[in-house]
Amino acid sequence: MGAVALIEVLERDGTPRHGVAVPQWPLRVGRALDNDLVLDDPHVAPHHLVIDRDESGAFVQVGETLNGALLGTQRVDAGGRGAVGDTPLAITIGRVHLRLRLAEHALAPELRLDPTRSLAQGLPLLALLLLLVGAMEVFNTYLDTDPDGFVRALGSGAISAIVGLMGWCGVWTLLSKLFTRQGHFGWHLRVALIAVLAWELISGATQLLSFSLSWPWLSDFKFVLGYAVGATLLYFHMLAVEPYRHRRVRQAAVAMALVGTALSLWFNWQNGDRLGSELYMSHLFPPALRVAKPVDTASFMKGVAELQATLDAKAKRKEDAGDDGGEGGGDDE
């Protein structure tokens, strides 16, 4: 007679720590020594649960416990019961992750073991990314500095970029090593470089389209795309730290992008009574790239005149606020 089931204790990343073959039913799990599977976790009850089988199939019966059990995605409290089903069941009790596999469960096909990629294996792509990022930084430094200070600004910027990039990737590499036993430094470095390139391309494209099509709102709300790039960056970094929880990581990344966008909109409104981040379009391109039709002087002045009432109202509010502050200060004295 073979085993009727296998129950495995899993590491945080989902890899098995050790497994116990179940020769017969029932299987008792808890902290007491008379259990079939003894778990040394203070959040596990002495007799936390029993796995058994009847005419309807295998089931999990939760015993007297404060914390209950998580069967897959279903929370079962003390005294509750949950079916095992046709696929291996993930069970969480306390801070211990278990996986129950019955003898009749179909085995997944064997996966090919891909060796861990070293930094040298991705060297051509990494070199290309470094070249593109370096060229872009040189170009931006050239545009932002005077010719006399170009070399000094370039050297300072290069040192800051290298230190920041290595520090950022080093932190993620340490997290990957802690939770998956592999550093994945090359992966984190490539993800960071691709994110920098993506943001530079998006930033330049939005500025160019804003100028060419006379769409100032496109660059005004560029920060929304910035949060999207940042959330995508964190998502791919987290894939090397939490390789078995793609859905949760994706949900967390989307939530961070939405929260960041909402906070920026709120701060912009509080600071300037507007949702956008730019008061005016500060980037200019060659006139040949202009696609929008030019506005004649009369139409432009008519549009400017419509702002007079708004500006006068704001000036009056500031003046009234100043008068109130002055009177209050005199009374205090």
Side-chain angles (χ1 to χ4, degrees), residues 36-248:
D36 300 299
L37 178 60
V38 180
L39 301 175
D40 187 16
D41 185 336
H43 304 91
V44 174
H47 299 92
H48 204 103
L49 57 83
V50 175
I51 305 173
D52 204 347
R53 191 181 190 101
D54 58 14
E55 297 80 5
S56 61
F59 62 90
V60 179
Q61 180 71 44
V62 180
E64 292 298 326
T65 170
L66 297 176
N67 299 313
L70 185 64
L71 307 181
T73 58
Q74 178 187 4
R75 171 65 61 180
V76 179
D77 295 325
R81 176 172 170 171
V84 174
D86 299 328
T87 57
L89 177 65
I91 304 174
T92 302
I93 55 176
R95 294 181 177 174
V96 180
H97 302 282
L98 307 173
R99 181 168 56 207
L100 175 68
R101 177 161 59 90
L102 304 181
E104 62 266 26
H105 285 162
L107 286 175
E110 180 186 7
L111 299 178
R112 180 179 297 277
L113 179 61
D114 295 326
T116 303
R117 295 184 62 184
S118 64
L119 188 60
Q121 286 178 294
L123 195 58
L125 175 60
L126 185 59
L128 177 60
L129 292 173
L130 286 172
L131 181 62
L132 292 175
V133 171
M136 196 164 292
E137 291 302 319
V138 170
F139 180 70
N140 290 335
T141 304
Y142 173 76
L143 292 179
D144 295 337
T145 58
D146 296 329
D148 295 338
F150 172 69
V151 176
R152 180 180 301 175
L154 183 61
S156 176
I159 293 174
S160 300
I162 292 174
V163 172
L165 185 63
M166 293 299 103
W168 174 265
C169 296
V171 171
W172 283 106
T173 300
L174 178 60
L175 292 175
S176 297
K177 189 68 175 178
L178 288 174
F179 294 113
T180 66
R181 303 188 186 90
Q182 295 180 2
H184 303 293
F185 177 77
W187 168 267
H188 292 299
L189 184 57
R190 284 187 286 271
V191 167
L193 292 174
I194 291 174
V196 171
L197 283 175
W199 171 243
E200 291 291 344
L201 291 175
I202 290 175
S203 179
T206 53
Q207 293 176 357
L208 177 60
L209 290 175
S210 298
F211 172 81
S212 300
L213 303 175
S214 286
W215 289 351
W217 58 267
L218 193 57
S219 62
D220 204 13
F221 292 94
K222 182 178 60 177
F223 62 89
V224 178
L225 299 177
Y227 283 115
V229 172
T232 306
L233 168 70
L234 294 178
Y235 170 73
F236 281 102
H237 277 312
M238 284 298 297
L239 286 183
V241 179
E242 288 283 2
Y244 297 99
R245 300 182 180 180
H246 293 189
R247 183 178 179 182
R248 290 186 180 181

Side-chain angles (χ1 to χ4, degrees), residues 242-265:
E242 288 283 2
Y244 297 99
R245 300 182 180 180
H246 293 189
R247 183 178 179 182
R248 290 186 180 181
V249 173
R250 191 181 307 114
Q251 291 174 345
V254 172
M256 285 187 289
L258 294 177
V259 170
T261 301
L263 289 176
S264 294
L265 292 173

